[in-house]
Amino acid sequence: MNYRSDTFYIEYLKPEDALNLNKLLVSNTERFKRYLPKTLSENRTLDSSKSYIVKRIDLMTLKSEYTFTIKDTLTKNIAGLIILKSIDWNKNKGEFAYCIGKSYEKNGWMSQAIRAVSKFAFQELKLETLQIISHKTNKASVKVAERNNFVWKKTLKHEFIPSGQPPLDMELYELTYER
């Protein structure tokens, strides 16, 4: 995976990203805690971020999950993450999870990054269907899906349970590769 724009670039998560990843997640805890509790809990300290990265690299080696960083071209800081997860090789489909730090929001980076990683998933991994599952109130995430031509498919009842809260219905969006 290789994507570069004038303002950001995308690359696989790697061991030397531990400090930068930890800073992104810790500094955006309030922003990410509702929809990314697992990722946050696995990155509370620098050592836990190092362990998280080792696990993610193992999952990439097994071709079961891919974790990408979105990095600011100027500072080289991690601005966000894209995780291609829940890959089902029998059905050739996968699901995106993503986040971007508050200081990088509203500049179109996530929409561009999802477009680039979707192209990679279709052309390199040969996946045929990509999914985004988002809560309807997460307007930014819904916009990312819509800007990338993901089509709303259905409401998934009680799909996600935030920490200490009742289950939420989530919206399923899909993008299908036309060969």
Side-chain angles (χ1 to χ4, degrees):
M1 171 73 218
N2 189 9
Y3 178 84
R4 186 171 292 274
S5 76
D6 291 342
T7 53
F8 73 93
Y9 58 100
I10 302 169
E11 61 184 15
Y12 292 109
L13 183 65
K14 48 190 199 255
E16 53 269 32
D17 290 327
L19 181 59
N20 210 332
L21 174 66
N22 184 261
K23 284 181 181 179
L24 169 74
L25 293 169
V26 170
S27 68
N28 285 279
T29 296
E30 283 303 308
R31 179 178 174 81
F32 297 155
K33 73 179 181 182
R34 186 169 197 195
Y35 297 114
L36 295 169
K38 185 178 175 203
T39 303
L40 279 173
S41 70
E42 293 182 66
N43 285 280
R44 293 198 191 284
T45 67
L46 179 57
D47 284 340
S48 64
S49 290
K50 289 176 182 177
S51 295
Y52 175 85
I53 291 170
V54 168
K55 289 178 198 166
R56 295 299 162 267
I57 291 170
D58 287 346
L59 291 170
M60 285 189 275
T61 302
L62 295 170
K63 297 182 179 181
S64 62
E65 187 173 292
Y66 294 82
T67 303
F68 304 94
T69 58
I70 301 168
K71 291 186 177 176
D72 183 319
T73 301
L74 191 60
T75 65
K76 310 287 188 262
N77 289 336
I78 296 176
L81 294 175
I82 297 178
I83 304 166
L84 179 55
K85 63 181 197 163
S86 303
I87 297 173
D88 182 336
W89 291 106
N90 294 318
K91 295 180 180 177
N92 290 326
K93 75 176 185 178
E95 176 192 336
F96 283 126
Y98 46 86
C99 63
I100 195 153
K102 184 154 181 62
S103 59
Y104 296 98
E105 71 179 340
K106 296 182 181 174
N107 59 20
W109 286 14
M110 189 56 73
S111 290
Q112 289 177 59
I114 288 292
R115 189 169 305 116
V117 179
S118 294
K119 184 177 176 183
F120 165 80
F122 288 142
Q123 294 178 354
E124 302 298 320
L125 301 179
K126 306 296 186 208
L127 295 178
E128 295 172 2
T129 303
L130 297 173
Q131 298 178 323
I132 292 174
I133 297 174
S134 181
H135 193 265
K136 64 185 176 188
T137 61
N138 189 343
K139 303 285 189 212
S141 184
V142 170
K143 278 185 185 177
V144 167
E146 291 173 345
R147 286 182 182 145
N148 282 286
N149 299 315
F150 281 71
V151 176
W152 179 88
K153 292 294 183 180
K154 63 182 175 180
T155 299
L156 304 170
K157 297 291 182 188
H158 305 292
E159 175 69 12
F160 180 71
I161 304 172
S163 298
Q165 297 179 25
L168 295 175
D169 296 344
M170 303 293 278
E171 305 306 316
L172 171 63
Y173 294 84
E174 288 187 347
L175 180 64
T176 304
Y177 185 63
E178 302 297 329
R179 299 205 187 276

